[in-house]
Amino acid sequence: MDHVLHLRCLVCGAEYRPDEIDYVCPKHGPSDGVLDVVYDYERISATRESVAASPEPGMWRYRPLLPVESDSAVPPLLVGDTPLYDAPRVAAELGLARVWVKDEGRQPTASLKDRASAMAVVKADERGLDVITTASTGNAAAALSGVCASTGRANVIFVPASAPPAKVAQLLAYGSRVFSVDGSYDDAFELCLQAAEAHGWYNRNTGMNPYMSEGKKTAAYEFAEQLGWTVPDAVFVGVGDGCIIGGLHKGFRDLLALGWIERVPRLYGVQAKGSRYLAEAWERGEDVLTKPPAPAETIADGIASGLPRDRLKAMAAVTETGGAFVTVDDGQILDAIPALARKTGVFGEPAAAAAYAGLLGAVEGRLVGADDRVAVLNTGNGLKNVAAARQAADRLGAAPTLIAPSLDALDRALAEKEGP
Ligand SMILES: Cc1ncc(COP(=O)(O)O)c(C=O)c1O
Ligand SMILES: [Zn+2]
């Protein structure tokens, strides 16, 4: 890993060798001391052509840009290579130059978190640790659980008791040891930290583990590669802990440093009104190192975070790119599920559809306009939370029509409502 210079504390700038430290800056501890992986870009000899031609599967074709050894084995599940769809009907309706939707619901466990969890399994292997643990609102857990199942590795999961049943079902099917914590995601996080330390488990937790945003940054690489090494003008993404948006920022910055792209897109972080820690800090110019935890109540479980663990990276992503934080209420999030699905065929869970709801708000607020080529990151599959999707349909009055199994009954029903 001689292309990795060091791990740098985002608070005090202290630098650590990767073999010296696994998680946070010891001077600041688990809540604040988030580390950034710093590269010596001169030592990266890969080119746009060489990554495109790499035989490595999915996200691992960017291995020369990732903080892993050149010979570390990677898990067999195919992570990455998710489709980027053009959405001309959305662009026309919103008056934007172009709209794309990148569908991370197509990942093996159906969310973007597979990118980070695959990275966690490789890093745990490099460290020679047998058990991996994480706290999660559900998707990071399902991702870790699935990737671990693919390599036969033990893992221990902490989710809030409110996690959607589909995500918990994934954990049980994959055979994880699952603890359903009687409390919030933030409570599950604290318990997981203590457990990791007490039992010597490898800790995948967002914010604690500096490599998670490094896995997620591969989504930015794919955006650029899929657009012929150009970038959108603006990218919209749902934000809870801030690891995804921080990862996107890192990915685009890597490519800029390597000279593979010419600029970094504006990054727009979309938060729920009921879990708006980062949006509030950004609007008020508050210091996220001193701002106390805020409420985290939203139907979009993936973006419910009272103390966003990657808040430093998330704030930098928005401020340094000239983007913004926008907030949407739960009604707007629910309505965005069928709105996106009907115009693109992409079915997102609430935390994912929030990004689309944020785009709609940003168009109204003129944060984006006719000159902008905009991308929306659909971070998780709609099947992750079927109850929310049905609630969204109910709000539209959309329901199946119950009929007797006969053509007569069908024709009567069709006659009542014009067209199929
Ligand atoms: C579907 C989905 N979208 C967005 C997010 C937010 O990601 P982050 O917590 O890194 O901001 C999550 C996190 O769980 C998620 O599951
Ligand atoms: Zn520090």
Side-chain angles (χ1 to χ4, degrees):
M1 274 211 323
D2 39 345
H3 60 306
V4 174
L5 277 178
H6 45 249
L7 305 176
R8 192 172 60 84
C9 173
L10 292 178
V11 181
C12 69
E15 292 169 357
Y16 303 94
R17 287 195 323 274
D19 60 357
E20 193 181 355
I21 204 155
D22 286 321
Y23 308 116
V24 290
C25 174
K27 294 181 205 158
H28 301 100
S31 175
D32 299 331
V34 172
L35 297 173
D36 183 37
V37 182
V38 179
Y39 294 87
D40 180 354
Y41 292 106
E42 302 279 310
R43 298 190 88 115
I44 297 177
S45 57
T47 61
R48 295 184 286 198
E49 293 71 29
S50 72
V51 296
S54 165
E56 296 221 53
M59 65 182 264
W60 300 108
R61 88 175 162 279
Y62 307 110
R63 187 197 287 259
L65 284 64
L66 299 178
V68 296
E69 301 292 348
S70 56
D71 57 353
S72 294
V74 302
L77 278 191
L78 178 60
V79 178
D81 279 346
T82 57
L84 181 70
Y85 297 119
D86 203 359
R89 280 186 291 149
V90 177
E93 184 184 302
L94 300 183
L96 298 170
R98 199 82 183 256
V99 173
W100 295 280
V101 179
K102 186 162 177 65
D103 188 13
E104 292 288 310
R106 290 277 297 273
Q107 295 279 13
T109 81
S111 87
L112 182 144
K113 307 281 168 146
D114 288 340
R115 297 181 188 271
S117 290
M119 176 65 73
V121 170
V122 173
K123 295 312 287 179
D125 251 350
E126 289 180 353
R127 288 283 286 104
L129 294 174
D130 291 335
V131 181
I132 311 186
T133 189
T134 198
S136 162
T137 56
N139 279 336
L144 182 65
S145 182
V147 179
C148 282
S150 78
T151 60
R153 176 183 287 278
N155 61 98
V156 184
I157 302 293
F158 298 85
V159 286
S162 59
K167 297 179 185 179
V168 177
Q170 285 184 286
L171 301 172
L172 301 174
Y174 289 132
S176 297
R177 184 71 206 271
V178 184
F179 292 98
S180 177
V181 179
D182 188 9
S184 64
Y185 164 57
D186 300 282
D187 296 325
F189 193 99
E190 291 306 327
L191 176 58
C192 181
L193 289 194
Q194 291 169 30
E197 200 165 308
H199 296 280
W201 298 332
Y202 186 72
N203 187 338
R204 180 233 177 268
N205 278 317
T206 298
M208 275 293 286
N209 189 315
Y211 301 110
M212 298 304 92
S213 44
E214 297 294 314
K216 293 177 183 180
K217 76 181 182 181
T218 56
Y221 296 168
E222 288 183 19
F223 267 125
E225 192 176 0
Q226 287 168 317
L227 294 175
W229 301 106
T230 64
V231 294
D233 296 304
V235 179
F236 283 76
V237 59
V239 173
D241 276 332
C243 185
I244 297 179
I245 197 168
L248 289 175
H249 187 210
K250 182 64 173 289
F252 288 122
R253 276 183 299 149
D254 283 347
L255 298 182
L256 188 68
L258 288 165
W260 294 12
I261 58 173
E262 284 172 7
R263 61 195 169 80
V264 167
R266 299 177 340 248
L267 298 179
Y268 290 88
V270 184
Q271 291 216 283
K273 283 208 184 332
S275 179
R276 58 194 310 273
Y277 181 104
L278 290 163
E280 196 172 273
W282 182 77
E283 281 159 19
R284 298 179 182 169
E286 290 171 329
D287 180 355
V288 293
L289 289 175
T290 51
K291 182 176 170 63
E297 290 292 329
T298 170
I299 191 157
D301 55 287
I303 53 172
S305 176
L307 185 65
R309 302 290 162 172
D310 251 332
R311 54 199 180 282
L312 291 172
K313 289 181 184 175
M315 290 300 278
V318 164
T319 51
E320 290 175 19
T321 64
F325 280 105
V326 295
T327 58
V328 288
D329 65 28
D330 280 4
Q332 291 170 302
I333 291 174
L334 284 174
D335 291 346
I337 296 173
L340 177 67
R342 290 172 182 205
K343 293 214 176 64
T344 64
V346 174
F347 180 25
E349 67 171 278
Y356 187 62
L359 169 61
L360 301 181
V363 168
E364 237 168 66
R366 298 181 189 276
L367 295 177
V368 288
D371 295 336
D372 283 316
R373 297 150 71 250
V374 177
V376 175
L377 194 56
N378 185 64
T379 43
N381 196 297
L383 295 172
K384 291 274 195 171
N385 191 339
V386 171
R390 283 306 293 259
Q391 216 177 312
D394 289 348
R395 286 168 64 85
L396 295 175
T401 308
L402 183 67
I403 54 163
S406 78
L407 196 55
D408 267 359
L410 173 66
D411 288 342
R412 270 197 310 277
L414 285 174
E416 269 170 37
K417 189 173 159 267
E418 231 169 82

